[in-house]
Amino acid sequence: MSSDPILKVEDVQVSFPVGGFGRRNSILGVAGVSFEVNRGETFALVGESGSGKTTLARAVNGLQEISAGSITFEDQRIDELDPRAMKPVRKRMSMMFQDPVGSLSPRMTVGDLVTEPFRIHGIEGRNLRDEAERLLTLVGLPTSFDSRFPHQLSGGQARRVGVARAIALDPALIIADEPTAGLDVSVQGEVLNLLNDLRERLGLAMVIITHNLHVVHHVADRTAVMYLGRFVEAGETEEVFSAPQHPYTAALLSANPEPDPDKTHDRITLPAEVPSLLARPSGCEFHTRCPWAQSQCSFDAPERHVTDERVIACHFPLAPGARPPEQKESVLS
Amino acid sequence: MAELWRPIRKILREPLGALGLFLVLFVIFGAVFADLLTSWDPTKINPRDRFQGPSANHLMGTDQLGRDLFARVLHGGRIALFVALVSTAVSLVIGIVLGLIAGYGPRWLDNLMILLFDAMKSFPTVMLALALVTLMGPSLTAVMVVVVLVTVPGYARIIRTQTIALKTSEYVTAAQSMGASSARILRVHILPNVIGPLVILASMDIPVVIGIEAGMSFLGLGVRPPTPSWGSILNDGFTNIRDTAWIAIAGGVPIIITTLGFTFLGETLRDVFDPRLKGR
Amino acid sequence: MTTLRIDNLNVSFSTEAGPLHALKNVSFDVPENRIVGIVGESGCGKSTLINAILGLLADNGSIDGGSILFEGQDELTSLPSSRMRDLRGPRIATVFQDPMGALNPVISVGKQMLNIQYRSTLSKDEKMNRAVEMLELVRIPDARAALARYPHQFSGGMKQRIAIAMALMMEPALLIADEPTTALDATLEVTTIELLKDLQQKIGCSVMFISHHLGVIAELCDDVVVMYAGEVVERGTVRQIFQDPRHPYTARLLECDPARQSERTRHLPTIPGEIPDLRARPAGCIFANRCDLVSDACSAPPPDKDIGDGHVARCIIADCPEETGVTA
Ligand SMILES: Nc1ncnc2c1ncn2[C@@H]1O[C@H](COP(=O)(O)OP(=O)(O)OP(=O)(O)O)[C@@H](O)[C@H]1O
Ligand SMILES: Nc1ncnc2c1ncn2[C@@H]1O[C@H](COP(=O)(O)OP(=O)(O)OP(=O)(O)O)[C@@H](O)[C@H]1O
Ligand code: SF4
Ligand code: SF4
Ligand SMILES: [Mg+2]
Ligand SMILES: [Mg+2]
């Protein structure tokens, strides 16, 4: 792996206060995460819903204060910058949000929305109308759309407006939270191909959060799997997909729905009870649901094992193609 | 043009809305064209014509000083509408600014301002009016200051609540991620989305404002004689209600018509454009 | 009995540049006790269809003809709005595309879940318990504590699951779900699909399920309706559509699914060309400008060809499978 990291995240934690029954408590939405993203690289974050992917993305973008760790972007510590100092950074790093329509200001027209970055950064000498036209064409929307309001767009059209806005200032890094949710497979292909073109032409780096494992498989160079605010496994996409070593990864990949009504799925089912962040399980935090759990797992937290190819946090990494043992009641209860 | 017609058509479809709109236009018409509708001077005293009943000459009769009541009602309407519109506009501006600051600013400032709004709100209107008049003397300005003080807390609270709701919305976060300043976020992304319901609520408050003006003038705390006001006409009427009921009627009916008109119109606006506000 | 029968429905939006025909002659049934999936290009009118059913079209939208018959008795296109309000929620529950929009940001989740039970005669505690039960069913951790929290304190997927819980709590006759699983990870998505299937069988309701995730459609649905540019171009059972697609658009759509690409590729397949301008719909086949198999005959509106067993496709060559170029 060439080492030219544009983004370096070290031991980042994010805690949220939760006011429970008079006491002030806090939960760790992100509980210590480290990774690097190289120029021109696509890094995918997958994992359980509620595992802290969006929170991590917001932390990297400075929208969410971190309670520990550090974030370095283009050789500059950005986690301690005040809003004014952060402003130039925001030109270089843009973000796409999970909710396509909800992330567009409802009383602004599409034309105003896609040129908003120019106005915020006071970029002179460009004709905003021309820019709007250029951006809309780039994302495959008719230029006549520039007078529409967000509620007059379909979900997919709103998504393209989001893409247009994210690439408006030619950023070096795009953090995309669910960039293709709500798109049909053909438009999804177009958006991903567009982002890929920009990656090739401009050396754009991307952090992409998505639940669509098929998409991850095709576009991501490396993939990290999150569970309860931590990485349980990370590595080259191809290898993680062909030989998952962490039981959660294996379960996640086996669940992926296939477009074939007659396909018989050989799924690794997980017990339903998702642990609460207020009461994290002892030992390996996955042991309450892990089909491979041994008694050691319930009190002894596995070290994060880092090699060149793989980061893995499990006492008993899986061999390729492993199937769960007969589930033992005593371990699961 | 079509953009303007659509909301009006919607209002006209509701019977109460149509009635409200008609009444409001009727009152505005009377106030605006007061000088054309009558040749009487509303302040001119005619001792010889005291307590005349309604006639072709004096459409609504005259009062204890012989002033033409029709002229006084029309000009009183001017005062009432002037107070209502100006003070509501001032309240809106102040309420919006305070509400945005409370909603978007730090927590402690919000708490402080909420305390302030509640304190203002809990102060009885009559006491407030008396206190102010003692300070400033009875005048139109005193009336408007009372109105502003009474209505601002409500407006500010609504704006605050909505601002808090929008503060965590994804499009505001998106604007933050692009580097927009707080001022820009408030102006471009929040204000346009909170102002609609407020305007509707303000239109429903206009009867209250008119009531305050009439009430204060009735008590002699508002506009000073001889300037006509519906409240002072009503007062003149009450002093002589036994023999000359028409004076009280001349002062009271316009208040009722205006109140009903604005209430119907405001409620229709609310139901048609923002049903979520119901029950506020 | 069919739960919902849509017949020749037409919907248009008035825009500055003239009327935009968002739905044109849409017909299909949602039979009792079945799950009907709707797929199609982004912007093809799926959400518009839902809004038309619910009587919630935007101000500039109007129904220009056709009928939507609910449970064989209520004609939804002409129902008085008070009666429509009674149906919405208890009889026709909806999970909207935008989970944030469906939840009120300033009211706690618990309060919102109580509010939608306003018709029920249960005590407040019982209603609370039901809410907790539903949240547990959709796998919200700490369900009881979650009731006190506000929507923005949940992740995107959690909000989506809360919206599903709220819709199912009503035990409706028809559940409409507009992309309800986009923010769920694969394990949860599968769990949610299974939950939907279970509840659907338990309550005995029909489901209209919109999704772009073809894998989910294949796994969950009994029937599939394929839409393109406001028209139903093909409908049939899930096997007919996935294994024997007859409309060229359906075939192209299935081919574009990255799940079908076994080789890893950076460049994903797409359908070249643009959807036609809905303000000036072409006289002939709506897919003609992007269709590889277009011929002169396609300049006339193609008929709905019945292929048998309820399989219908709006294409002149739908009955000659060797010509549709399908690689199923
Ligand atoms: N403002 C907040 N206050 C309290 N808790 C929060 C807040 N925002 C997020 N959380 C909690 O932090 C955890 C992580 O949330 P996050 O949105 O990062 O999840 P996610 O991985 O993006 O999930 P999804 O895939 O469903 O979008 C969740 O348990 C969520 O409830
Ligand atoms: N209020 C409106 N005014 C004008 N055009 C509209 C309005 N609402 C929707 N449209 C247009 O109608 C078409 C259908 O929109 P709709 O939201 O139904 O699509 P959809 O199938 O739900 O797409 P997606 O899968 O992307 O959500 C789109 O071209 C959209 O731009
Ligand atoms: S450490 Fe034990 S419980 Fe944790 S994932 Fe590995 S096998 Fe499962
Ligand atoms: S009718 Fe013609 S243009 Fe339309 S889908 Fe069939 S072959 Fe293609
Ligand atoms: Mg998220
Ligand atoms: Mg839609």
Side-chain angles (χ1 to χ4, degrees), chain A residues 49 184 217 221 262 267 276, chain C residues 42 142 219 239 243 266:
Chain A
S49 161
D184 68 78
H217 189 198
D221 299 303
D262 288 328
R267 287 193 168 126
S276 149
Chain C
S42 308
D142 265 338
E219 192 154 343
R239 284 195 177 71
Q243 291 165 356
R266 276 283 184 167

Side-chain angles (χ1 to χ4, degrees), chain C residues 247-249 285-288 291 293-295 298 302 314-317:
Chain C
H247 196 285
Y249 172 67
C285 172
I286 188 79
F287 190 54
C291 182
L293 304 167
V294 62
S295 62
C298 305
R314 191 174 285 182
C315 168
I316 51 164
I317 53 170

Side-chain angles (χ1 to χ4, degrees), chain A residues 58 61 63 87 90 95 97-99 102-108 116-117 119-121 165, chain B residues 107 168-181 184 188-190 192-193 196:
Chain A
R58 290 169 52 108
N61 198 242
L63 294 169
K87 198 166 164 176
R90 297 193 181 289
M95 182 142 172
F97 289 84
Q98 197 163 356
D99 182 358
S103 53
L104 304 178
S105 206
R107 310 265 160 156
M108 283 170 81
E116 175 83 349
R119 255 175 270 120
I120 288 173
H121 290 281
R165 197 163 62 167
Chain B
R107 194 63 167 269
T168 53
S169 73
E170 222 160 72
Y171 63 88
V172 168
T173 318
Q176 284 166 345
S177 89
M178 288 185 282
S181 62
R184 181 172 177 90
V188 179
H189 299 283
I190 293 188
N193 296 301

Side-chain angles (χ1 to χ4, degrees), chain A residues 205-257:
Chain A
M206 251 192 301
V207 175
I208 148 168
I209 300 174
T210 177
H211 289 302
N212 192 325
L213 298 171
H214 300 298
V215 165
V216 173
H217 189 198
H218 287 296
V219 305
D221 299 303
R222 282 187 302 136
T223 299
V225 183
M226 273 185 100
Y227 187 77
L228 285 191
R230 293 185 222 273
F231 283 3
V232 292
E233 181 160 9
E236 299 282 330
T237 305
E238 196 104 43
E239 285 165 27
V240 171
F241 271 69
S242 58
Q245 291 180 3
H246 193 281
Y248 176 70
T249 315
L252 188 67
L253 295 177
S254 79
N256 201 9

Side-chain angles (χ1 to χ4, degrees), chain A residues 16 49-55 98 211 277, chain C residues 149 153 155-158:
Chain A
F16 292 112
S49 161
S51 61
K53 302 178 297 295
T54 301
T55 307
Q98 197 163 356
H211 289 302
L277 291 176
Chain C
R149 294 164 70 188
Q153 297 178 317
S155 79
M158 290 166 147

Side-chain angles (χ1 to χ4, degrees), chain A residues 10-307:
Chain A
E10 279 170 302
D11 283 320
V12 162
Q13 296 191 3
V14 177
S15 72
F16 292 112
V18 284
F21 314 113
R23 293 174 286 145
R24 281 238 149 240
N25 250 325
S26 71
I27 55 173
L28 278 183
V30 175
V33 163
S34 307
F35 65 94
E36 288 179 3
V37 180
N38 295 324
R39 273 173 219 284
E41 187 185 36
T42 307
F43 184 80
L45 277 176
V46 302
E48 176 126 297
S49 161
S51 61
K53 302 178 297 295
T54 301
T55 307
L56 179 58
R58 290 169 52 108
V60 170
N61 198 242
L63 294 169
Q64 176 73 57
E65 225 171 291
I66 61 175
S67 45
S70 71
I71 300 167
T72 313
F73 175 69
E74 297 195 313
D75 303 321
Q76 183 190 12
R77 270 290 286 270
I78 57 168
D79 49 293
E80 293 161 335
L81 295 181
D82 61 42
R84 197 179 301 275
M86 191 67 190
K87 198 166 164 176
V89 176
R90 297 193 181 289
K91 268 205 271 191
R92 308 279 304 147
M93 166 162 57
S94 67
M95 182 142 172
M96 285 169 60
F97 289 84
Q98 197 163 356
D99 182 358
V101 183
S103 53
L104 304 178
S105 206
R107 310 265 160 156
M108 283 170 81
T109 61
V110 168
D112 286 342
L113 284 165
V114 295
T115 51
E116 175 83 349
F118 298 107
R119 255 175 270 120
I120 288 173
H121 290 281
I123 291 173
E124 312 287 330
R126 298 212 205 189
N127 181 331
L128 291 186
R129 266 200 89 84
D130 292 349
E131 287 299 326
E133 251 170 51
R134 176 182 70 91
L135 289 167
L136 290 180
T137 319
L138 206 56
V139 296
L141 285 175
T143 49
S144 63
F145 268 53
D146 70 349
S147 58
R148 290 237 191 145
F149 289 95
H151 72 270
Q152 299 175 326
L153 303 174
S154 77
Q157 291 160 345
R159 174 66 68 194
R160 296 198 209 193
V161 173
V163 177
R165 197 163 62 167
I167 60 180
L169 298 178
D170 297 331
L173 173 70
I174 291 187
I175 302 171
D177 198 352
E178 298 283 355
T180 61
L183 298 182
D184 68 78
V185 284
S186 156
V187 178
Q188 165 177 294
E190 282 171 29
V191 168
L192 292 172
N193 291 345
L194 172 70
L195 290 173
N196 191 44
D197 274 1
L198 293 166
R199 185 187 64 86
E200 280 169 2
R201 282 215 321 266
L202 312 168
L204 184 74
M206 251 192 301
V207 175
I208 148 168
I209 300 174
T210 177
H211 289 302
N212 192 325
L213 298 171
H214 300 298
V215 165
V216 173
H217 189 198
H218 287 296
V219 305
D221 299 303
R222 282 187 302 136
T223 299
V225 183
M226 273 185 100
Y227 187 77
L228 285 191
R230 293 185 222 273
F231 283 3
V232 292
E233 181 160 9
E236 299 282 330
T237 305
E238 196 104 43
E239 285 165 27
V240 171
F241 271 69
S242 58
Q245 291 180 3
H246 193 281
Y248 176 70
T249 315
L252 188 67
L253 295 177
S254 79
N256 201 9
E258 298 285 337
D260 176 359
D262 288 328
K263 169 135 182 155
T264 48
H265 290 271
D266 190 12
R267 287 193 168 126
I268 303 170
T269 43
L270 299 179
E273 285 69 39
V274 180
S276 149
L277 291 176
L278 278 167
R280 288 173 171 273
S282 61
C284 171
E285 294 180 336
F286 189 51
H287 88 264
T288 52
R289 298 168 77 197
C290 178
W292 282 274
Q294 309 278 322
S295 53
Q296 180 194 359
C297 304
S298 60
F299 54 83
D300 185 9
E303 288 284 310
R304 197 148 33 110
H305 184 68
V306 185
T307 63

